[in-house]
Amino acid sequence: MADLISNGITALIANQANLSTTSHNIANANTPGYSKQEALLSTVQPQEIGAGFIGNGVTIDGIRRVVDQFAIKELRSSGNTFNAVDRVMENAELLDNILGQESTGLSPILQRFFSSVQTAAEEPASIASRQVVLSESQLLVNRVNALYDSLESQNGSINTQLENFTAQATSLAEAVANLNERIAVFAGNNEGSLPNDLFDEREYIIQQISELLDVNVIENDDRTVSLFVGNGQSLVVGINSYELTTAAGETDATRDDVVFRNGNLSQTITSRVTGGKIGGLLEFRRDILDETYNQLGLVAIGISTAVNDQHQLGMDLDGQLGGFFFRDMNESLLSQARAVADPDNLDAGNESISVDIENLDELTLSNYELEFSSGSVNQYTITRVSDGVTVASNTFSGVFPATAEFDGIRLTLNSGNFGPADRFDIFVTRFAAREMDLEVSSVRDIAFAQPARAISNETNRGTGKVTQVEVLDTTTSLFATSGSLSPPLLIRFNSSRDYDVLDNTDPTNPINLVPPLSNQSFSPGVENDLLPPDNGETGLVSDGTAVGIATRNAVLGTFANGFAAENAVFTTIDPDTQVISRQTYTSTANASAQTTSDELSLLTGVTASARNYAVLSNISSVTPMTLTFNGRNFNVTNAEALATAINSDTVLSSANISALSDGSSVTIRSTQGDDFQFTIAGGATDTMDIIGSNGSLVSLTGADAIPEVTVAGTIDLVLDEGVTVNGTGTIFTSIPTHIQRFLGIQVSLNGNLEAGDTFDVEYN
């Protein structure tokens, strides 16, 4: 009877435990983080009797949490991912609303700006149209600035959220550490005797932390847990917790970094934090907001630069060249603000670096990092942050300024004490939208007019027509004098296929430009650009002791032009690598200018052309006189008839040789550089004076023992950017002058021209 009562009591107690556990489960069904519990029952050790064993009832081994660790990890992971994506989406939608709405977006205001410019360009004298342009331009600037402010506001909101979330993570970490301490008191191997509710509470807090950022959970032997974030930084270790906080960014104080703090030790871990609300905010800021800053900045730079470039090519209502329409994006203050020094640099705050926009087409949306080698201050690399590609690497000589060009940017080291491992963040477009501003304040200052024009001479006999006059650059010497061209130009055709571009300061006596643009080739019937393009070329004219000289032959029948063999050294400095290379050319004695120019054109970076010029004057033909010119014979009667005969000779014409008479003399030109060989035959009273483009004239008579003259041609060189030449004096002086050929304008002409046709190019 006693055994029956005893067994009944154990059963009653066991089922009472089951009922209590079940009621506890029911009571906490809606408790966040609660896990189902169950009572662990086992039989009491039976009593042995002779006939066998008699049971002694049931006993309670403990209360166990019913949990699935895999499910717990998946819950953490899904919560972490969801909150990260949710933060990204929420902020992206906010950004999309700012940029996409007509009242706040950029597209509508851009359309209105360009529409106003188009309308005003069609009626440039209209003050009302100009006022609309001015108003729309200010609205455009205001909108770009406002969009930047909106991005700054969103950036500030992210900073506030990061501050709040890191504070939450720190507070939750403290709670985990406190629970670790309480749990450790009951730590043991018996699963049923553990403090289940404390485990649930701790697991729930860890779940909350994982919703804030990615956290690695490690369970210790004493039933406590350790939490690690970032790159292994300890958020909780046993009963100790550490702090997560924020601090102003080292390179951009407007962007907070996530900081791990252990006592006096602080470590920035922004780049290593992923997942959760904090990771989502950082991802949005890095991948979307930063790119939006740069895209908006690129728009501001693109509009400002393109409009400024075009505006400076125009002329305002007062006849002055246009200035900057928008703020110059390469203004010194702005270009230097694009390079931000690391606070730990050797001489932080005293280094001067400028970053200038060179080519809009090559700009990217990326930021860059400039870093000096830790082993040598002379070596530095520039890395594009978006893809980690090294875009420039060079050795700094220590001489200022030092430049590097990449992705449409020119970076210049201006001054400072640069040290090993110094680094700089380069923000090319990041702040441009904030800095955009309007420079034009008066409608009269808007430059809609073309400052140069080309006028056809009314006496022209050809059908040549100016199709376009385009101003390409108003910083050249041609526009150095306000309100005029310096000098005005005259385009004069020597034949249907060649022309000269002359300085027309004195219209009664046009003279060659320096360097000359003489005997330029023209293709009849198609549009021709008559002036040099802007490609960094320099012009060089042969100016040695023998070029363009009329020389009497020393030996009968031996035509020698006076050119001696000459060495010319062409030096090239690569603009990107600064590597120096040299080419040496040796000419052949008495070779024609044409032969020499053909050989020079084979050199890298060198384009050569040759021409020839001679004037025949004091023509007296009594006997009568015969002129042999380059193997062709002409009976000389007078200057006009001689010029006509030369122009009618198909052999000379095919060699691009033409003649022009003013009634008393004959000017002979060749767009090639073959020697002119002259011989006269006649009596003592038959005379002719011959002079080349340089030197003195030579007087011939029919009675001379050697009535023969050779006129040497001249050579024009066009040298690519970075190419220079030194000569020995016969063709080129030792250090000839390299002159920019680009004039800043382009004149296009179509049709068929005749000798003597002219076009004036003047200020509008």
Side-chain angles (χ1 to χ4, degrees):
M1 190 69 176
D3 291 339
L4 180 61
I5 294 173
S6 177
N7 288 344
I9 292 173
T10 61
L12 181 62
I13 294 173
N15 283 285
Q16 185 181 22
N18 273 328
L19 289 172
S20 296
T21 302
T22 300
S23 66
H24 185 60
N25 288 338
I26 294 171
N28 288 280
N30 295 318
T31 301
Y34 179 78
S35 298
K36 177 184 175 182
Q37 298 178 11
E38 64 179 3
L40 298 177
L41 306 179
S42 64
T43 58
V44 177
Q45 183 70 30
Q47 180 180 358
E48 183 180 0
I49 62 175
F53 291 89
I54 296 177
N56 288 324
V58 63
T59 185
I60 303 171
D61 289 337
I63 307 299
R64 179 179 65 183
R65 294 169 68 223
V66 181
V67 294
D68 185 337
Q69 291 299 324
F70 175 78
I72 289 176
K73 291 180 180 179
E74 285 299 301
L75 181 61
R76 288 179 197 156
S77 176
S78 60
N80 181 273
T81 302
F82 169 79
N83 281 278
V85 173
D86 183 62
R87 287 290 108 181
V88 172
M89 184 178 69
E90 179 181 309
N91 283 275
E93 288 177 346
L94 177 61
L95 184 60
D96 184 61
N97 289 334
I98 294 172
L99 298 175
Q101 292 183 8
E102 183 171 351
S103 60
T104 58
L106 189 58
S107 181
I109 203 74
L110 271 176
Q111 292 176 1
R112 289 169 51 184
F113 167 73
F114 286 115
S115 177
S116 70
V117 171
Q118 180 64 38
T119 300
E122 293 172 355
E123 44 180 349
S126 170
I127 298 298
S129 296
R130 287 169 171 263
Q131 184 60 58
V132 173
V133 171
L134 199 61
S135 299
E136 293 297 340
S137 300
Q138 188 62 62
L139 289 174
L140 172 60
V141 168
N142 293 344
R143 180 64 56 85
V144 171
N145 295 159
L147 284 173
Y148 181 89
D149 291 341
S150 296
L151 299 183
E152 285 289 87
S153 177
Q154 192 163 9
N155 182 66
S157 173
I158 290 174
N159 289 340
T160 300
Q161 293 179 71
L162 288 175
E163 182 180 1
N164 292 336
F165 291 151
T166 53
Q168 288 180 33
T170 299
S171 177
L172 292 171
E174 291 177 354
V176 171
N178 291 334
L179 287 169
N180 276 344
E181 185 174 17
R182 295 170 62 190
I183 288 171
V185 174
F186 303 100
N189 295 324
N190 185 359
E191 184 179 11
S193 63
L194 296 177
N196 295 324
D197 292 337
L198 295 182
F199 276 100
D200 284 345
E201 184 179 354
R202 186 178 68 181
E203 188 58 54
Y204 179 60
I205 294 174
I206 293 174
Q207 175 66 29
Q208 291 178 283
I209 295 175
S210 70
E211 291 176 358
L212 294 174
L213 75 167
D214 198 11
V215 59
N216 186 22
V217 182
I218 303 297
E219 185 171 350
N220 304 314
D221 293 338
D222 60 355
R223 301 286 183 167
T224 63
V225 295
S226 296
L227 307 182
F228 301 93
V229 297
N231 196 34
Q233 285 74 24
S234 304
L235 186 60
V236 176
V237 176
I239 63 174
N240 298 311
S241 66
Y242 302 93
E243 182 182 6
L244 282 184
T245 186
T246 59
E250 294 179 345
T251 57
D252 185 356
T254 67
R255 294 158 45 87
D256 283 357
D257 280 327
V258 177
V259 176
F260 169 78
R261 184 172 294 162
N262 180 4
N264 294 326
L265 175 65
S266 294
Q267 183 180 2
T268 299
I269 60 172
T270 305
S271 62
R272 300 180 177 90
V273 174
T274 59
K277 296 178 181 179
I278 295 176
L281 289 173
L282 295 176
E283 180 183 349
F284 168 78
R285 187 174 71 179
R286 179 184 64 248
D287 296 341
I288 298 178
L289 185 61
D290 283 357
E291 185 167 328
T292 304
Y293 269 118
N294 288 342
Q295 286 178 330
L296 183 62
L298 184 60
V299 170
I301 290 174
I303 294 173
S304 298
T305 303
V307 173
N308 283 347
D309 288 347
Q310 188 61 43
H311 192 255
Q312 291 176 92
L313 303 179
M315 185 175 65
D316 64 21
L317 278 179
D318 297 317
Q320 301 301 309
L321 293 175
F324 289 117
F325 191 87
F326 293 109
R327 186 179 187 182
D328 179 15
M329 284 300 176
N330 280 337
E331 183 181 304
S332 176
L333 183 66
L334 303 186
S335 64
Q336 292 187 32
R338 293 179 180 132
V340 180
D342 190 293
D344 295 329
N345 284 359
L346 177 67
D347 195 16
N350 292 321
E351 306 110 327
S352 173
I353 297 178
S354 57
V355 180
D356 294 306
I357 309 299
E358 291 288 296
N359 190 332
L360 285 177
D361 294 336
E362 297 179 9
L363 288 184
T364 73
L365 295 176
S366 180
N367 300 326
Y368 299 82
E369 289 182 356
L370 165 65
E371 187 169 7
F372 285 86
S373 169
S374 59
S376 170
V377 68
N378 296 325
Q379 183 68 35
Y380 66 83
T381 57
I382 300 173
T383 304
R384 188 166 51 224
V385 174
S386 61
D387 55 13
V389 172
T390 298
V391 294
S393 180
N394 209 341
T395 299
F396 177 42
S397 65
V399 178
F400 297 107
T403 62
E405 296 187 7
F406 54 93
D407 290 355
I409 304 160
R410 185 179 73 249
L411 183 146
T412 305
L413 306 179
N414 297 311
S415 62
N417 185 20
F418 297 94
D422 276 3
R423 64 176 303 278
F424 299 81
D425 288 289
I426 309 299
F427 302 105
V428 180
T429 60
R430 171 70 169 78
F431 308 108
R434 178 186 67 190
E435 308 298 348
M436 187 178 182
D437 202 356
L438 187 64
E439 289 291 313
V440 173
S441 58
S442 168
V443 294
R444 299 193 64 83
D445 294 335
I446 301 176
F448 277 127
Q450 176 78 278
R453 62 180 179 177
I455 304 172
S456 173
N457 193 311
E458 293 181 355
T459 63
N460 288 354
R461 294 178 298 171
T463 61
K465 180 181 179 181
V466 176
T467 56
Q468 184 179 20
V469 177
E470 184 178 8
V471 177
L472 303 173
D473 187 351
T474 55
T475 64
T476 64
S477 60
L478 195 66
F479 294 94
T481 303
S482 176
S484 65
L485 296 187
S486 301
L489 305 176
L490 178 70
I491 299 173
R492 184 177 65 196
F493 279 81
N494 305 312
S495 70
S496 63
R497 292 182 174 274
D498 74 284
Y499 62 93
D500 297 336
V501 182
L502 304 170
D503 177 342
N504 202 32
T505 301
D506 180 2
T508 64
N509 183 32
I511 60 176
N512 277 329
L513 297 171
V514 180
L517 292 174
S518 302
N519 294 343
Q520 303 294 296
S521 296
F522 182 85
S523 298
V526 298
E527 185 172 87
N528 291 247
D529 288 339
L530 303 184
L531 302 178
D534 181 14
N535 54 7
E537 296 173 341
T538 56
L540 183 65
V541 180
S542 53
D543 56 356
T545 58
V547 294
I549 305 296
T551 306
R552 185 190 295 270
N553 287 358
V555 178
L556 187 65
T558 303
F559 291 89
N561 62 15
F563 284 3
E566 176 178 0
N567 289 328
V569 178
F570 293 83
T571 303
T572 303
I573 302 177
D574 189 288
D576 296 323
T577 65
Q578 302 299 304
V579 173
I580 299 175
S581 59
R582 290 182 174 85
Q583 306 169 87
T584 300
Y585 168 74
T586 302
S587 66
T588 302
N590 285 313
S592 69
Q594 184 62 49
T595 298
T596 301
S597 73
D598 289 344
E599 294 172 349
L600 286 168
S601 292
L602 298 176
L603 301 176
T604 302
V606 180
T607 303
S609 61
R611 52 193 166 87
N612 210 344
Y613 171 93
V615 177
L616 313 184
S617 61
N618 191 28
I619 300 172
S620 177
S621 178
V622 178
T623 303
M625 177 172 60
T626 300
L627 171 68
T628 302
F629 170 45
N630 283 20
R632 312 299 290 174
N633 296 321
F634 301 96
N635 293 323
V636 180
T637 55
N638 57 59
E640 189 70 36
L642 178 59
T644 300
I646 291 174
N647 288 331
S648 300
D649 189 286
T650 57
V651 174
L652 296 180
S653 178
S654 65
N656 292 325
I657 294 174
S658 62
L660 183 66
S661 172
D662 63 2
S664 61
S665 63
V666 177
T667 299
I668 301 177
R669 300 173 183 270
S670 171
T671 57
Q672 299 176 358
D674 294 325
D675 290 344
F676 287 168
Q677 300 175 353
F678 298 101
T679 302
I680 66 170
T685 57
D686 296 320
T687 63
M688 181 180 292
D689 293 342
I690 301 175
I691 189 171
S693 56
N694 294 310
S696 303
L697 62 81
V698 176
S699 296
L700 300 178
T701 72
D704 290 343
I706 306 178
E708 301 171 345
V709 169
T710 304
V711 178
T714 58
I715 301 170
D716 296 334
L717 294 184
V718 178
L719 306 178
D720 287 354
E721 184 177 1
V723 181
T724 58
V725 59
N726 286 356
T728 55
T730 302
I731 302 176
F732 301 106
T733 55
S734 57
I735 305 179
T737 302
H738 297 70
I739 302 174
Q740 178 71 36
R741 299 176 75 243
F742 178 59
L743 298 174
I745 64 173
Q746 186 58 266
V747 176
S748 301
L749 191 65
N750 199 349
N752 294 290
L753 284 301
E754 293 191 17
D757 286 357
T758 61
F759 299 84
D760 290 294
V761 181
E762 58 188 30
Y763 201 77
N764 188 8

